[in-house]
Every structure is written in structure tokens, then in C-alpha cells.
Amino acid sequence: MNTSNTQTMTVTSVMPNMSQVFGWLKSLQYPAMGITGLLLLWWFGGFMIENDPDLSAFAAFAPAPTFSALVDLIASGEVWQPIGSSLYRILSGLVWGIAIGVPVGVTVGYFGLALKVANVPFQFLRMISPLAWMPIAVLAFQSWDSAIIFLIVMATVWPIIFSTAHGVRRIDPNWFKVARNLGASGFQMLRRIILPAIMTDVMAGIRLAVGVAWVVLVPAEYLGVTSGLGYAINDARDTLSYDSLAAVVIVIGVIGYGLDTICSVLIKRFNWHME
Amino acid sequence: MGASISLDFITHKFSASAEPTLKDIENRIEPGELVALIGRSGCGKSTLLHMMAGLLIPSDGCVRINSHLVTKPSAKWNMMFQKASLYPWMNVKENAALGLLFDGMPKAEAGERVDALLDMVGLHDKKDVNVQSLSGGQQQRVALARSLATEPEVLLLDEPFSALDAFTRTQLQEEVPNICRERGITMVIVTHDIDEAIAMADRVLIMSQNPGRIVGELVVDLPWPRRHMDSGFQTMRDELMQQFKGTDTGLAGRNAADPDQSEISQSAA
Ligand SMILES: Nc1ncnc2c1ncn2[C@@H]1O[C@H](COP(=O)(O)OP(=O)(O)OP(=O)(O)O)[C@@H](O)[C@H]1O
Ligand SMILES: [Mg+2]
């Protein structure tokens, strides 16, 4: 959380002066300590594996081979293609998740009856791992790509629906009364009052959705497809190149972190609450 | 220009089995008249005002504004509430222009229209600020500008100043009737405050409780602007207080159904 805050600050502030730079460095000290700790643990794990005769075949998992594989991946430009495929899938799934989740969430939140009817089935469906839909997805869709996007949609709709509905229920009833009083039509009420009022909640739902979707995407790409980061991991395992496997894991983590940061910036952008 | 409001035999029950909240309300408010509605808490003042605004339909009888049957809200008969309820994602100007936007006016034109209104309510230096940074009084001024922007014929006020500090309240009690008189707007204000009623209205209607009925009225023919210190003001105030006590049915609603009461108090006025 803290690091994402500081990143927003530096992005938005034009021409930081010396004290700002200093403050920025200072606020980075704790995340830096955390990352160093993680690297130490990793290095220690690699060291243990290397010295264990049973496991020494996996020594390439250690930091040094991994980072050199990562540099190779980036230098050769090989990383971009799987990243592109994975991002394409997650964004398509997210677009569908938003297109379905927001209208359903608004309906469910706005009409009390709809919430009562939908609550149990929604809670039930939400608890099913998106990956459990895989066999059905494969039957229902022609291409593996569409099947995976379907799984992402199944992962993203629920957080978006719940968060949207929650946002609608929290709207101050006086806002509806005042708008009706000023002659708002149903569409104007939606466009000028409801949607801006729930924007923060919708973005919070999207952030949750992105997190779940990114976690689901990688195992989904183990199946069928021949592109994407999940496939890259599987492929590296089959060719016993554990150093590039670990490098892909790092790429996955970094991109996931980046996606989450983008979401938190957007949440701030759409947040109308004053500090 | 202001519109007349006629309340035609309004009786209202919130549920079929309940006792009526309002009973046989009948009155006519002339165009441009300033009317105050007073009564104990829970007697149905807000309910009646919501009906005039078209936010609530009476179970019996009807409200007519300029002989037009009120069936739904309209920016032409506008209500201001105790809370300003501004929209925090819009700045002051956008909030004030909202009614015009709903009416289909382009944003730029609506902005120009509210400019002068915001000057008038004393917010000339606050037009582009976030409404969350305004004080309660300033917020209520934005709400006032928002209500006036659509050039309403009727302005309905439901205890709009009760949450404000005394100084701001006194100011607005003077400004709002002035604006209404200038523009010929018909005003109905609901209040708990006898002074406020005398300070703002040409005529005060007194409501009883259980069921809510109009049991008395007092014509306030004092010159404008009203001054609290004037002896005329004090006399009116005492007279209204007297009448209010005379018609007060207390908490249990005893004598509530006595139909003579309204006649007695009216002749006293
Ligand atoms: N939506 C509703 N459903 C059922 N009863 C209601 C509803 N709204 C108001 N009432 C009842 O109708 C009566 C009149 O309410 P109203 O809000 O009009 O009173 P009021 O005169 O404005 O009171 P106050 O001065 O406290 O604002 C009250 O007894 C209240 O409990
Ligand atoms: Mg009330």
C-alpha cells in the first residue's frame, strides 16, 4: 500500500524539489527493507537446495541464475509475447466482467427485492473457483482463448457485482430525492447521480477482480493454449530450464503488482471523498 | 411568476389500517404569497410539503398548482430540505446548475445562468471549489441557488435553516423572502420556530396533531424587512404563540377531532 502511494505522488508532482526527493527516498526505506528480506530468504533457499544432493538439479531456482535468465529474456525480447497474450486475456475478461457486473450490481443494489432474490445464488456461485468452470468452458467455447477469457470473466464478475451493489445501497437517499425534485429522468439519475456516486466502489471492486483474475490466469494458461505467461512456465518446466521458469515467476509478480498499482491510482482519481 | 397552490381535501394514510396522518386539509395559497406552516413535531408538516412538491401522492384529495394537478416532481415547484444534500463529485457551480442540466440546457449555458445567482447568494469567490469544503450555511446557499436556477414558480422549504448558526439563519431568514418577493415566487416554509414564521411569512398556518389538520391561521401584515425588535413583530409573535397554545392538542391528541377549533382560532385572528 505504502509504495503504491508514493508512486502516485511522484507521478503527479511536477518538478520535485530536493526535500521532496528526500522525503520520497525516506518513504521507500521500509519497502526496500522488505524486498531485501525477501531476496535474502530466496538466496538462502537457493543455497540450501544447492547443498542438498537430492535437490541440486533445481539449483537454477536461486537468485543469480534467475536474474541472468531474466536479463536474457528481456534482452532477447522473448518476454513481450507471453506478456502480451496474458494481458490481452485479462483485459478482455475484465471488460466483459465490468460490462456484466456493473449493470447487474446497480440493479441488485437499487431494487431491494432483487438483492433478496439474488443474494443466495450469488454467494453460492461466488464460492466456486473459476477454474472449476474449465470443463464447461472448453465445451462451450470453440477456442482455448475464449475459454480462458470466460474463466477470467467468472473470476471478475462477482467482486464487481458485490462492490457495485454495495455502493448503490450506500447512496444517500436524499440525493435521489433532491435529483427527482429537480426533475431528473431515470436515465439522468443513473448518469449524473448513481454512476458518479458509486464510481469509487466500482473501482474498488475492479481492483479486487484484477487480483483474483491475475491469480486465476496463470493456471488457466497451463491448459490448451500455447501462449501466455502460464504457458511459459509450463514450457520452461518441460525443458527443465528452471532459471527461466523462476524468471517468468518474477515477471508475473511484477506485472500483477503493476496492475494493482494502476487500479489504486484509478481509485484515487475517482474518489470524491475529501481527506 | 408565482403560482397559486390549492390543497383540496387532502387526507393521507401511510398504510390502509393506520390512522390518517393528515385529514381534510383545505387551503388556497395565492400567487406570490409567503406562507409558513407551523405545528408540533410529527404532525405531518413535511408530509404535506412533500405532497406539494409531488414527491408523495395523497391517498385522498389532491394538490393543484395553477389548477394543474400535481402528480410528479418538477423543477417548477422546488423543495429545499434541512440538509443541503449537495453532490460531492460536482463543484459549487455544477451543483447549482444541475436542475438546468436535467432540463436539457447545455453545460456552458447553464454555468452562465447560475453565475449571477451564486453572486446573489454571496458565493462569488466559491464557484469552483469542492462543496465539501463549504460551511453548513454556505452549502445551504448553494442549495438555494440550485433551487432558484430553474426559475421555480413555487419554493417549498422544509426547516431549511434549522441546522445553521443563529447569525447565518437570521441572514437567510431575511434574504429568502426578499428573493421570493422580488421574483414573485410563491413560498411555503415549514418551521418549528415562531419567530421564523413571523419574520418570513405573509400568513401562518397552524397544524394540529393526530390527525394533522390546519386548525388556525394568522395574517402577518407587517412591513418588510421584518425587524425582530419592532413592537409590531413582538405583538404578532405573542398573538401567534397564544393561538398556537389555544389550538395545541398536546401529545396524546386529545380533542383532536373537534371541528369547531379551527373556526374559533380563525375568528380570533
Ligand atoms: N414514510 C412513512 N411511513 C409511515 N409513516 C410516516 C412516513 N413518513 C412520516 N410518517 C409519519 O407521519 C407523521 C408525520 O410525519 P412528518 O415527517 O410529516 O412530520 P413533521 O410534522 O414534518 O415532523 P417534524 O417537525 O419532526 O419534521 C409522523 O407520525 C410520522 O411517523
Ligand atoms: Mg419534518
Side-chain angles (χ1 to χ4, degrees), chain A residues 180-183, chain B residues 73-79 99-100 103 147 150-154:
Chain A
R180 277 213 298 146
N181 193 231
L182 289 171
Chain B
S74 154
K76 287 287 155 204
W77 37 89
N78 210 295
M79 187 146 162
L100 298 173
D103 199 35
S147 291
T150 50
E151 299 185 340
E153 299 170 332
V154 174

Side-chain angles (χ1 to χ4, degrees), chain B residues 42 45-47 82 158-159 190 192:
Chain B
K45 304 180 296 293
S46 298
T47 307
Q82 186 172 351
D158 194 353
E159 302 179 33
V190 162
H192 279 137

Side-chain angles (χ1 to χ4, degrees), chain A residues 171-185 187-200 270-275, chain B residues 50 53-55 73-81 83-90 95 98-99 101-104 107 130 132-133 146-147 150:
Chain A
I171 298 179
D172 183 346
N174 288 321
W175 286 347
F176 290 127
K177 200 150 82 173
V178 168
R180 277 213 298 146
N181 193 231
L182 289 171
S185 67
F187 173 74
Q188 287 169 330
M189 183 78 88
L190 184 70
R191 157 105 173 64
R192 303 259 172 219
I193 312 298
I194 299 178
L195 288 183
I198 64 173
M199 209 53 204
T200 324
F270 284 110
N271 187 7
W272 41 257
H273 294 279
M274 241 170 56
E275 282 87 66
Chain B
H50 275 73
L55 289 166
S74 154
K76 287 287 155 204
W77 37 89
N78 210 295
M79 187 146 162
M80 252 178 90
F81 304 90
K83 271 182 63 189
S85 293
L86 302 177
Y87 300 100
W89 52 89
M90 305 177 194
N95 265 285
L98 193 59
L101 227 58
F102 286 157
D103 199 35
K107 208 167 176 174
N130 186 321
Q132 290 170 95
S133 69
R146 176 174 68 186
S147 291
T150 50

Side-chain angles (χ1 to χ4, degrees), chain B residues 49-122:
Chain B
L49 210 63
H50 275 73
M51 285 169 181
M52 296 187 209
L55 289 166
L56 186 69
I57 304 301
S59 37
D60 236 315
C62 64
V63 176
R64 288 173 201 279
I65 291 183
N66 272 351
S67 70
H68 173 105
L69 186 68
V70 174
T71 53
K72 61 176 175 48
S74 154
K76 287 287 155 204
W77 37 89
N78 210 295
M79 187 146 162
M80 252 178 90
F81 304 90
Q82 186 172 351
K83 271 182 63 189
S85 293
L86 302 177
Y87 300 100
W89 52 89
M90 305 177 194
N91 65 23
V92 167
K93 207 166 178 171
E94 290 165 335
N95 265 285
L98 193 59
L100 298 173
L101 227 58
F102 286 157
D103 199 35
M105 189 181 281
K107 208 167 176 174
E109 199 183 333
E112 270 170 40
R113 274 275 280 283
V114 298
D115 235 23
L117 275 174
L118 288 170
D119 288 340
M120 188 186 73
V121 298

Side-chain angles (χ1 to χ4, degrees), chain A residues 22-231:
Chain A
F22 187 71
W24 179 54
L25 284 177
K26 202 170 172 189
S27 70
L28 275 182
Q29 67 182 359
Y30 295 113
M33 278 163 69
I35 291 169
T36 312
L38 189 63
L39 283 173
L40 277 175
L41 267 177
W42 183 12
W43 172 84
F44 183 69
F47 176 77
M48 297 289 281
I49 288 174
E50 209 177 333
N51 289 320
D52 186 330
D54 290 341
L55 296 174
S56 55
F58 301 106
F61 275 127
T66 300
F67 280 113
S68 84
L70 186 60
V71 169
D72 285 351
L73 271 181
I74 294 171
S76 67
E78 268 176 73
V79 259
W80 305 117
Q81 203 261 332
I83 290 179
S85 309
S86 289
L87 281 182
Y88 163 74
R89 288 182 190 122
I90 200 164
L91 286 182
S92 317
L94 196 61
V95 166
W96 280 105
I98 294 170
I100 298 167
V102 172
V104 172
V106 169
T107 312
V108 166
Y110 192 75
F111 300 102
L113 185 66
L115 182 67
K116 283 181 193 155
V117 172
N119 192 34
V120 173
F122 278 6
Q123 294 286 3
F124 168 81
L125 288 167
R126 181 171 78 108
M127 285 304 167
I128 299 171
S129 161
L131 289 172
W133 297 101
M134 190 44 134
I136 296 170
V138 171
L139 280 178
F141 292 92
Q142 300 261 306
S143 70
W144 282 97
D145 239 357
S146 326
I148 289 177
I149 291 170
F150 171 78
L151 296 189
I152 300 298
V153 175
M154 291 312 282
T156 52
V157 277
W158 308 114
I160 295 175
I161 287 178
F162 280 99
S163 195
T164 306
H166 175 73
V168 173
R169 296 207 70 76
R170 265 193 339 167
I171 298 179
D172 183 346
N174 288 321
W175 286 347
F176 290 127
K177 200 150 82 173
V178 168
R180 277 213 298 146
N181 193 231
L182 289 171
S185 67
F187 173 74
Q188 287 169 330
M189 183 78 88
L190 184 70
R191 157 105 173 64
R192 303 259 172 219
I193 312 298
I194 299 178
L195 288 183
I198 64 173
M199 209 53 204
T200 324
D201 295 278
V202 173
M203 288 311 303
I206 290 174
R207 184 182 186 183
L208 280 176
V210 167
V212 179
W214 191 243
V215 167
V216 164
L217 179 69
V218 170
E221 282 175 342
Y222 286 173
L223 304 156
V225 289
T226 52
S227 63
L229 293 165
Y231 169 76

